Amino acid sequence: DQQVKQNSPSLSVQEGRISILNCDYTNSMFDYFLWYKKYPAEGPTFLISISSIKDKNEDGRFTVFLNKSAKHLSLHIVPSQPGDSAVYFCAASAHGNQFYFGTGTSLTVIP
Amino acid sequence: NAGVTQTPKFQVLKTGQSMTLQCAQDMNHNSMYWYRQDPGMGLRLIYYSASEGTTDKGEVPNGYNVSRLNKREFSLRLESAAPSQTSVYFCASSAVAGGPRDTQYFGPGTRLTVL
């Protein structure tokens, strides 16, 4: 049973606009969350993380929001750039145990 | 710094053949991982090694064995390959397993096809 879900397989956004990628989880014990970005034929690369003690973490154009009551995580990219076109995975872990990954959302930023 | 390297990049096996996927990291990380990525399934953990000398099962360990050869190297072995093991395999490493320091750095992947 998938504990981390990314219900949108794909998303297209115009360059300069905001991209919002969503992630839902079922395990209330998850306390640490990551976003990874993956280009074709490459391994995932770490993008941004958030601990459950926070509800927001920002790094440049990337902001992750955590809504614990809704068990929902989102990644905002502002402004979106063509180089952001990639597959984005969210991942979650509970108390230092293994990470569970979502199925990924393919983002296309249209110039 | 090469980061995490994996060999081979591509492999085709026949059902029943065996092979070992190699992984090495040069970041002096303690923890190493093997994942598989299948369409519609995301990344799933096969085995991990929290530190040199230890290995543990992940979410999908059946049909695989691992060896943490030393701090740098972590290999994944398929003793008798099956078509269900057709996948892209990623190795990763992190400074510490679990929690805020467990930022995992991934290799480029091995694309394995079992006929």
Side-chain angles (χ1 to χ4, degrees):
Chain A
D1 191 29
Q2 198 80 17
Q3 297 192 52
V4 178
K5 299 178 185 179
Q6 294 176 257
N7 292 318
S8 298
S10 62
L11 175 68
S12 290
V13 171
Q14 288 288 129
E15 181 178 3
R17 299 286 187 101
I18 184 171
S19 295
I20 300 176
L21 295 95
N22 294 304
C23 180
D24 296 295
Y25 60 96
T26 57
N27 188 342
S28 58
M29 303 299 287
F30 285 151
D31 60 358
Y32 191 60
F33 305 87
L34 301 171
W35 283 94
Y36 279 87
K37 175 178 174 178
K38 184 183 179 305
Y39 293 118
E42 294 184 11
T45 55
F46 170 74
L47 197 55
I48 193 167
S49 64
I50 190 166
S51 165
S52 61
I53 61 173
K54 294 186 172 183
D55 53 21
K56 176 183 172 181
N57 189 28
E58 198 170 347
D59 183 0
R61 297 187 296 114
F62 302 92
T63 303
V64 56
F65 294 92
L66 176 61
N67 183 332
K68 289 186 289 291
S69 60
K71 295 192 185 70
H72 180 79
L73 194 68
S74 63
L75 175 68
H76 293 209
I77 306 173
V78 185
S80 301
Q81 298 173 354
D84 296 330
S85 297
V87 177
Y88 290 79
F89 292 97
C90 64
S93 76
H95 305 309
N97 290 318
Q98 70 174 73
F99 278 96
Y100 291 88
F101 283 77
T103 52
T105 296
S106 178
L107 173 66
T108 302
V109 179
I110 303 162
Chain B
N1 262 5
V4 179
T5 56
Q6 293 182 236
T7 55
K9 284 189 167 50
F10 301 93
Q11 184 71 48
V12 178
L13 293 178
K14 294 182 180 176
T15 297
Q17 287 184 317
S18 63
M19 80 160 295
T20 300
L21 281 65
Q22 306 287 354
C23 174
Q25 52 92 8
D26 62 2
M27 295 176 281
N28 201 34
H29 282 167
N30 290 305
S31 306
M32 297 185 74
Y33 312 82
W34 276 105
Y35 290 89
R36 59 179 289 175
Q37 184 192 9
D38 302 295
M41 297 294 291
L43 286 142
R44 292 181 293 167
L45 184 65
I46 305 170
Y47 270 95
Y48 67 101
S49 170
S51 60
E52 189 179 352
T54 69
T55 59
D56 284 289
K57 294 178 182 178
E59 194 180 350
V60 288
N62 291 345
Y64 304 95
N65 285 302
V66 289
S67 295
R68 182 75 183 266
L69 305 168
N70 48 54
K71 191 171 185 179
R72 286 188 66 247
E73 298 172 289
F74 189 38
S75 63
L76 178 72
R77 182 159 178 84
L78 287 70
E79 290 291 352
S80 179
S84 60
Q85 294 178 304
T86 293
S87 188
V88 181
Y89 291 84
F90 290 101
C91 177
S93 70
S94 67
V96 174
R101 291 185 61 196
D102 191 10
T103 298
Q104 295 179 21
Y105 296 84
F106 285 79
T110 295
R111 186 174 294 274
L112 175 67
T113 302
V114 183
L115 302 175

